[in-house]
Amino acid sequence: MNFSETLTGGFPIKMAAAVENILRVAARAATYNVILQVSFRLLTFLVNALVLRYVSSELLGLVNVRLTLLYSSILFLSREAFRKACLSRSNNSSTKNWRQVINLVWCCVPVGCVTGAILGWLWVKILEHPSETYDNKYSVAVGVYALCAIFELTVEPLWLIGQEFHFVHARVLIEATALAAKCLSSIFFIILHPNSAFTWFCVSQVVHTVCYVSLYYLYFMYYSVNQSQNSKKLKGEQKTQNYELLEGFPLTKVTDVLPSFDSVGNDWIDPTYGKLVLSFIKQSILKQFLTEGERYIMTVFNVLSFAQQGIYDVINNLGSLVARFVFLPIEDSYYVLFCQILVRGKQHKNTKELETAGRILSGVLKFVSLTGLIIMVFGFSYSYLALDIYGGKLLSSGGGPTLLRWYCVYVLIIAVNGITECFMFALMSKDEVDHYNHYMVAFSLVFLVASLGLTKGFGSVGFILANCINMGLRIIHSNMFIQKYFADSHQNPLLKALPSRFVSALLLLSFVITAVSESVFCCGSGWIYKIFHIAVGAVCLLTVFAAIFLTESDFIMFLKEQWTGKLIKKKDE
């Protein structure tokens, strides 16, 4: 029987038990993350529906594109590299020196200060200012959003500990509470004082940041004190009592979360993780541009006005709902899982770990692929109806439906790219990460050229087409990595991820039926026609679900494993 060591405890346990524990944690984390993201997006969805009736499209573009881009850029560029590096499983040891790791993570705060100062200066001094209506408050708003991002970076040591020790409930509760406070405060104040909407957008951002940081520190202060007290009671020969202790938990007092020079040996930070952070920083800059590329191009090159950016942002958020509240949390959860099952930079050959990772990869890929295919097939025929219900003629007239249809195609590509890159980033060595950065530069240049060229001919749809080209190139590269990684094994997770021929044929037939239904029923102006169109789509969708359940037995077994957190043996095993 093979043995392995758990990441946090360091005690040898049977491999099967370790895999089941990791599956259980990953399934729970993914489930709660999906619930969290669904709640986030539904709340934001409702807030936008209300705010659209009280603010101008220019203000929406200014806040949701320009200022939000500044905020997300500071956060992503300052913390993403630290998160990816410090969550990795080092090849040198099965446990982490948490004092060195905490010291390293705190370095994201000065990085955030430098990033915020540079980007803030660009936003105020270089980029085009809004109209006179908002110009007098624009510089202050830039400062507010930048400071909020920097302040949120002080939570990163606690966020990392929470991820490492699977504080799923706490993260969901804290982030949900902070977002709810932001949304409710913005709705309340904007409805009462619509003429001061710009000011209240800034206030609601401050409310979110204060709640987010305060709740994280209050929770971990409470938990670390209880952990320390229970540990003392156990040492006091009261072992018969049921005290809950978390093995290896690094916080015994409040000040343990702060950077310190005590008890770290010769190195203030772990040099292995430090070098990995430097590699990921270079990659994060490129990845951020590729992820938010269209917003940067809108902002820097002024290809769309603030009003056009506002409309684009609304449709963009609507089109990416599933990508954000389903695909993103799945990527986050399974990145941690792959880091814990396999060792970064080490080639596993025909081992239990490799077999388990391959099976999980093919199962997750099939899930996101089927989800993306369903969205693409049915989104084509229901984009106009969705926009008409959500925003009326403001969104459903003109090029809105066409933009949303192309976004449905983009969702499928996002789904596949997210999981393949998730696996690749979890296992690449430092040298491979550095080498991949060269590819990222090439992808960035292709995206920039494609965006500038395609937007001239297709307008805002050009951004979606350029993103499709960019993501397609990234999928090809990550698939080459996966094929090379599994070359010496008997597995082909990419091939197993493809849907069956019957399901594929049924999806194609559903596409034709719903397209005909739209041309027939949506010609009428009454709700009865729209209801008939919805009914046709519902029947086709249920048929596709039934076909998946009947023909994809291995996939259904995989879903049961992820839901229950237990390995299920096949009947012939």
Side-chain angles (χ1 to χ4, degrees):
M1 176 68 70
N2 291 329
F3 290 83
S4 180
E5 291 188 343
T6 58
L7 181 63
T8 56
F11 299 105
I13 59 175
K14 291 183 178 181
M15 184 61 201
V19 171
E20 284 203 4
N21 180 62
I22 293 173
L23 281 174
R24 187 179 300 109
V25 170
R28 185 171 68 248
T31 301
Y32 282 119
N33 277 335
V34 168
I35 293 173
L36 175 65
Q37 293 297 327
V38 169
S39 302
F40 279 11
R41 299 309 161 187
L42 286 178
L43 188 56
T44 305
F45 184 81
L46 294 174
V47 168
N48 285 338
L50 291 173
V51 169
L52 275 171
R53 290 155 175 79
Y54 291 91
V55 301
S56 65
S57 56
E58 180 186 5
L59 181 57
L60 281 178
L62 179 59
V63 173
N64 291 349
V65 177
R66 175 70 67 86
L67 294 177
T68 302
L69 179 63
L70 171 67
Y71 169 80
S72 64
S73 296
I74 295 172
L75 285 179
F76 190 90
L77 296 175
S78 304
R79 72 186 183 187
E80 183 69 11
F82 292 91
R83 287 185 172 186
K84 284 189 176 297
C86 295
L87 282 173
S88 302
R89 180 181 170 188
S90 174
N91 196 22
N92 299 327
S93 174
S94 60
T95 58
K96 287 185 171 119
N97 184 324
W98 275 104
R99 173 44 52 202
Q100 292 180 328
V101 172
I102 289 174
N103 288 343
L104 176 61
V105 175
W106 270 106
C107 293
C108 72
V109 176
V111 171
C113 292
V114 174
T115 305
I118 294 173
L119 293 182
W121 179 81
L122 290 174
W123 255 241
V124 173
K125 298 296 183 180
I126 304 299
L127 300 182
E128 178 190 15
H129 280 221
S131 63
E132 295 181 358
T133 306
Y134 307 110
D135 189 39
N136 59 337
K137 299 178 181 178
Y138 173 69
S139 298
V140 176
V142 168
V144 169
Y145 274 75
L147 289 174
C148 285
I150 295 170
F151 190 42
E152 287 188 25
L153 292 174
T154 61
V155 164
E156 286 306 294
L158 298 179
W159 183 93
L160 179 68
I161 294 171
Q163 286 292 101
E164 191 76 47
F165 292 91
H166 310 297
F167 285 84
V168 182
H169 295 81
R171 180 189 171 195
V172 170
L173 181 61
I174 291 170
E175 295 186 10
T177 303
L179 182 75
K182 175 182 178 180
C183 292
L184 293 177
S185 61
S186 62
I187 291 175
F188 178 77
F189 290 119
I190 289 173
I191 291 178
L192 286 181
H193 306 284
N195 294 330
S196 303
F198 194 16
T199 300
W200 294 120
F201 272 122
C202 296
V203 171
S204 64
Q205 183 62 46
V206 173
V207 169
H208 170 269
T209 298
V210 171
C211 287
Y212 178 76
V213 175
S214 300
L215 290 175
Y216 252 108
Y217 274 94
L218 288 173
Y219 177 83
F220 277 93
M221 285 169 57
Y222 169 80
Y223 187 88
S224 60
V225 169
N226 279 355
Q227 180 87 353
S228 178
Q229 291 177 348
N230 290 345
S231 179
K232 292 179 181 178
K233 290 178 180 179
L234 285 175
K235 292 179 181 178
E237 298 182 356
Q238 299 185 31
K239 296 183 180 181
T240 57
Q241 299 189 36
N242 184 24
Y243 296 116
E244 181 182 358
L245 289 178
L246 190 58
E247 186 68 34
F249 189 72
L251 303 181
T252 58
K253 55 184 182 296
V254 175
T255 55
D256 285 343
V257 75
L258 300 176
S260 172
F261 289 92
D262 298 333
S263 302
V264 295
N266 296 326
D267 296 310
W268 187 65
I269 62 174
D270 188 316
T272 302
Y273 288 120
K275 293 177 181 177
L276 197 56
V277 165
L278 293 177
S279 297
F280 274 122
I281 282 179
K282 292 180 287 185
Q283 186 186 100
S284 296
I285 295 173
L286 297 171
K287 187 176 180 181
Q288 174 66 3
F289 175 77
L290 292 173
T291 303
E292 300 282 5
E294 70 272 14
R295 295 176 185 267
Y296 286 115
I297 292 174
M298 288 180 196
T299 300
V300 175
F301 295 100
N302 300 320
V303 293
L304 300 178
S305 66
F306 279 115
Q308 291 173 323
Q309 291 178 29
I311 299 299
Y312 175 86
D313 181 73
V314 172
I315 296 178
N316 176 55
N317 287 333
L318 181 62
S320 61
L321 277 175
V322 175
R324 291 180 177 179
F325 70 63
V326 176
F327 298 148
L328 185 58
I330 287 176
E331 292 171 26
D332 290 342
S333 298
Y334 282 92
Y335 177 83
V336 176
L337 184 147
F338 290 133
C339 286
Q340 293 180 340
I341 291 180
L342 302 173
V343 177
R344 179 184 295 278
K346 178 181 178 181
Q347 186 67 47
H348 297 254
K349 296 183 179 180
N350 296 322
T351 62
K352 185 68 175 179
E353 293 96 328
L354 185 63
E355 179 185 345
T356 301
R359 188 163 178 263
I360 293 173
L361 176 60
S362 62
V364 177
L365 261 178
K366 178 164 285 191
F367 174 78
V368 298
S369 299
L370 285 172
T371 304
L373 282 169
I374 290 171
I375 292 171
M376 184 182 71
V377 167
F378 291 92
F380 180 86
S381 301
Y382 291 88
S383 292
Y384 171 82
L385 184 58
L387 292 179
D388 192 54
I389 293 173
Y390 181 61
K393 295 299 180 181
L394 177 67
L395 298 181
S396 62
S397 60
T402 302
L403 179 62
L404 188 55
R405 289 186 182 109
W406 275 106
Y407 219 106
C408 291
V409 177
Y410 181 48
V411 166
L412 171 61
I413 300 175
I414 289 175
V416 176
N417 176 73
I419 296 302
T420 53
E421 282 195 342
C422 164
F423 183 86
M424 181 178 69
F425 289 150
L427 299 175
M428 284 195 303
S429 65
K430 177 187 177 299
D431 292 337
E432 288 173 326
V433 172
D434 291 335
H435 185 64
Y436 183 69
N437 290 335
H438 300 303
Y439 286 100
M440 295 285 278
V441 172
F443 297 154
S444 301
L445 293 175
V446 170
F447 173 75
L448 177 61
V449 173
S451 296
L452 293 176
L454 292 173
T455 50
K456 291 181 180 179
F458 300 97
S460 56
V461 175
F463 285 122
I464 307 301
L465 298 176
N467 271 313
C468 289
I469 295 172
N470 163 45
M471 290 292 180
L473 294 174
R474 290 164 63 177
I475 288 172
I476 292 172
H477 183 273
S478 54
N479 283 355
M480 291 171 61
F481 176 89
I482 293 171
Q483 288 178 341
K484 181 180 178 182
Y485 196 87
F486 288 94
D488 295 332
S489 70
H490 301 292
Q491 299 186 79
N492 192 341
L494 298 177
L495 184 61
K496 292 181 180 179
L498 297 175
S500 66
R501 293 181 180 179
F502 181 71
V503 172
S504 301
L506 202 55
L507 284 169
L508 180 60
L509 180 61
S510 298
F511 176 83
V512 174
I513 292 174
T514 53
V516 172
S517 172
E518 182 183 36
S519 63
V520 173
F521 292 118
C522 284
C523 292
S525 58
W527 267 101
I528 187 65
Y529 296 99
K530 297 176 182 178
I531 292 173
F532 275 127
H533 181 44
I534 294 172
V536 170
V539 172
C540 291
L541 183 60
L542 290 174
T543 305
V544 170
F545 284 153
I548 293 173
F549 182 80
L550 294 174
T551 63
E552 301 279 5
S553 56
D554 289 342
F555 175 61
I556 298 301
M557 183 184 299
F558 169 79
L559 292 181
K560 290 179 180 178
E561 287 180 359
Q562 302 310 294
W563 182 258
T564 61
K566 296 180 180 180
L567 296 175
I568 300 174
K569 293 184 177 181
K570 298 180 181 180
K571 294 181 179 179
D572 56 350
E573 290 182 350

